[in-house]
Amino acid sequence: MKSNFAVATLFIVGSWLQSGCTKTPEWTLFYYPDADAAPTIPLQVDDIHGYYDTLEQCQRKAQGMKRLSGSSVSHLGLGGYQCGQLCELDDASRLSCKTLSQ
């Protein structure tokens, strides 16, 4: 009886841990430190600066990066960004996102 309880407990805990580890962030931050706004060129993997669960988290990180880049140069607020929702590589290895926001 004790072994059945132990097996059931391990199964429940294992399932809970596994489900918590498989959630992927929904938002991707594309940050352009040398631009005032996001460029119109296609999205590049090199411009990715993090992954976030919410749009608000992505925007706050980008705004913090803008403040930091502004403190080290004379152009306050330098740095453009985009937050992309559900981004992925397509068959031609191009990045595409469901939506882009700032």
Side-chain angles (χ1 to χ4, degrees), residues 19-30 48-58 61 83-89 95-99:
S19 67
C21 295
T22 58
K23 183 181 178 204
T24 57
E26 188 170 331
W27 292 91
T28 302
L29 172 59
F30 297 91
I48 294 175
H49 285 267
Y51 304 96
Y52 303 91
D53 292 328
T54 66
L55 174 60
E56 182 181 68
Q57 289 172 341
C58 182
K61 178 62 176 186
C83 291
Q85 183 182 30
L86 301 174
C87 300
E88 60 187 14
L89 287 172
L95 268 172
S96 63
C97 301
K98 182 178 176 183
T99 60

Side-chain angles (χ1 to χ4, degrees), residues 10-27:
L10 284 174
F11 177 76
I12 291 170
V13 170
S15 297
W16 176 71
L17 289 173
Q18 187 177 24
S19 67
C21 295
T22 58
K23 183 181 178 204
T24 57
E26 188 170 331
W27 292 91

